[in-house]
Amino acid sequence: MIFRFCVVFFGLSLTFSHFVQADSQDEYELLDRIGSGNSEAGKIKSREELCQGCHGEIGNSSSAEYPRLAGQYADYIIKQFRDFRSGARQHHVMNAVASSISDEDLTDIAAYFASRERVRAQQRKAIEVAEKIYSNGDMRRALIACSSCHGSSGQGSYAGEESVPTIGGQHKLYLREQLLKWRSGDRANSPGGVMNMVAKLLKDEEIEALAEYISSM
């Protein structure tokens, strides 16, 4: 798994007439994003299971405490949910919620949120320090560019069995919180621990700048 992730790190029948994802005009790319779930069923299930109460009706939550899920890769949503279920990732609400939803329902719910259009800012903010790190990294610190995995616009990527999450347009406060958790080790569920290694190289002001910059994508 670590080797497969490194390849990504360094290199990187439903109809969809009701669910068009702006990042994925190509049908096969859209299928990769949505996965095997039934997005129409997921719309109903996400409402019944109260997912929409925190994450928003179409996955664009208004509260920074809860991440935006619209346009996220379904398999990434499923992985995070299972990590909450197992305790590999901690959250005061999600650990309890995760134990009450079946894998079948989870697959459909993830497909629904993945099928929705992610939030896009009208204009990307010009933050020089963040732009340099995001686009080019810093080889003096062995800090790899964020875009190597997450794409030039934070759209994420998919390679075989694993996806790199969509982060563009995510809440600034949520992005900052996760980077701080990666750095401290409070969160440690990325493949091969790569996000912990990256975040430990970042200074406080760089985390703040990156969160601001990525949220404006």
Side-chain angles (χ1 to χ4, degrees), residues 4 24 30 42 44 48 51 53 56 71 73-74 82 120-121 128 138 171 176 185 190 193 199-200 205:
R4 184 164 63 249
S24 307
L30 183 59
I44 298 171
E48 292 175 344
C51 307
Y73 282 98
R82 288 174 175 167
R120 288 173 173 272
E128 185 176 0
D138 184 350
H171 292 295
R176 181 176 65 184
S190 66
K200 285 178 180 178
E205 58 268 27

Side-chain angles (χ1 to χ4, degrees), residues 96-112:
V97 170
S99 63
S100 65
I101 298 178
S102 70
D103 282 343
E104 179 182 354
D105 289 348
L106 171 59
T107 300
D108 291 341
I109 290 169
Y112 169 65

Side-chain angles (χ1 to χ4, degrees), residues 29 39 60 62 80 94 103 105 114 118 127 136 139 144 152 164 169-170 180 186 191 201 204 212:
E29 188 178 350
S39 56
N60 288 323
S62 58
Q80 299 309 305
M94 286 304 301
D103 282 343
D105 289 348
R118 71 178 174 94
I127 305 174
N136 303 312
M139 296 311 294
I144 303 300
S152 60
V164 178
Q170 188 57 264
L180 290 171
D186 287 343
L201 297 173
D204 287 345
E212 181 87 20

Side-chain angles (χ1 to χ4, degrees), residues 50-70 72 84 89-95 97 113 119 169-175 177-178 181 187:
L50 306 181
C51 307
Q52 296 181 16
C54 293
H55 294 285
E57 182 179 356
I58 59 173
N60 288 323
S61 66
S62 58
S63 170
E65 181 179 357
Y66 305 109
R68 290 171 171 149
L69 300 180
Q72 184 59 269
F84 285 124
R89 185 176 175 187
Q90 294 293 317
H91 187 271
H92 63 285
V93 173
M94 286 304 301
N95 294 113
V97 170
F113 286 128
V119 167
Q170 188 57 264
H171 292 295
K172 172 190 171 181
L173 295 180
Y174 182 80
L175 290 167
E177 180 185 23
Q178 298 313 304
K181 285 184 175 182
R187 182 177 174 186

Side-chain angles (χ1 to χ4, degrees), residues 113-132:
F113 286 128
S115 73
R116 310 314 296 164
E117 185 174 349
R118 71 178 174 94
V119 167
R120 288 173 173 272
Q122 292 184 344
Q123 184 175 2
R124 189 178 304 190
K125 294 184 177 179
I127 305 174
E128 185 176 0
V129 62
E131 186 173 4
K132 286 181 177 179

Side-chain angles (χ1 to χ4, degrees), residues 130-194:
E131 186 173 4
K132 286 181 177 179
I133 292 173
Y134 190 90
S135 299
N136 303 312
D138 184 350
M139 296 311 294
R140 295 172 300 175
R141 291 182 283 170
L143 180 61
I144 303 300
C146 308
S147 61
S148 298
C149 292
H150 294 285
S152 60
S153 299
Q155 73 271 22
S157 62
Y158 185 84
E161 298 177 1
E162 292 180 353
S163 62
V164 178
T166 300
I167 56 175
Q170 188 57 264
H171 292 295
K172 172 190 171 181
L173 295 180
Y174 182 80
L175 290 167
R176 181 176 65 184
E177 180 185 23
Q178 298 313 304
L179 284 169
L180 290 171
K181 285 184 175 182
W182 290 122
R183 190 174 69 177
S184 69
D186 287 343
R187 182 177 174 186
N189 68 326
S190 66
V194 67

